[in-house]
Amino acid sequence: MSMKMNIAGAIILPVSLASVALLSANAQDSDNSQLELTKKEQANLDKELEGRVAGPAISCIQLRDQKNYRAISDDILIFSSSKNAKTIYVNKPRNGCHGAKRDALTYQRPDTALCHGNVASVVDFRANVTISSCALGKFVPYTKIDR
């Protein structure tokens, strides 16, 4: 599918320019033809990206940037050093990460970096069972603009 079709399919819900930038920045890292977010997920993504500018995708993030993790959806994961960090890192795992929004994401940190291609597991700690696993995509940094 062409990029034009990807964006057109995602515009069914109100989409901010930042969200379109996310689609564009990660298009080369994913076989997913489009992102389908609920209105609530889209609003959460827009809030996370508000006032931020996307940088070029990077392969790894350091340990300090893994401290605060949240899932916008099973397809969009956000990592940062703190809840109010200047830079956040958006990751779109190839083929999504089923259950990431609902359950806990776990992964091994081989060194101090979390990298593209590392495998993460989604674990339901209540039932003590692994729900799924996914390979992480590249990390797109979004940095707050100083005003």
Side-chain angles (χ1 to χ4, degrees), residues 136-147:
L136 296 174
K138 289 192 176 183
F139 297 85
V140 179
Y142 282 82
T143 304
K144 284 183 185 175
I145 302 169
D146 291 329
R147 296 179 186 203

Side-chain angles (χ1 to χ4, degrees), residues 97 105-108 114-121 132-136:
C97 202
L105 187 72
T106 64
Y107 48 88
Q108 288 189 320
L114 182 61
C115 296
H116 171 250
N118 286 152
V119 175
S121 297
S132 67
S133 62
C134 57
L136 296 174

Side-chain angles (χ1 to χ4, degrees), residues 52 65 79-82 84-89 141-144:
R52 297 178 187 274
D65 295 317
F79 297 86
S80 62
S81 60
S82 68
N84 296 313
K86 182 173 182 170
T87 300
I88 62 172
Y89 299 88
Y142 282 82
T143 304
K144 284 183 185 175

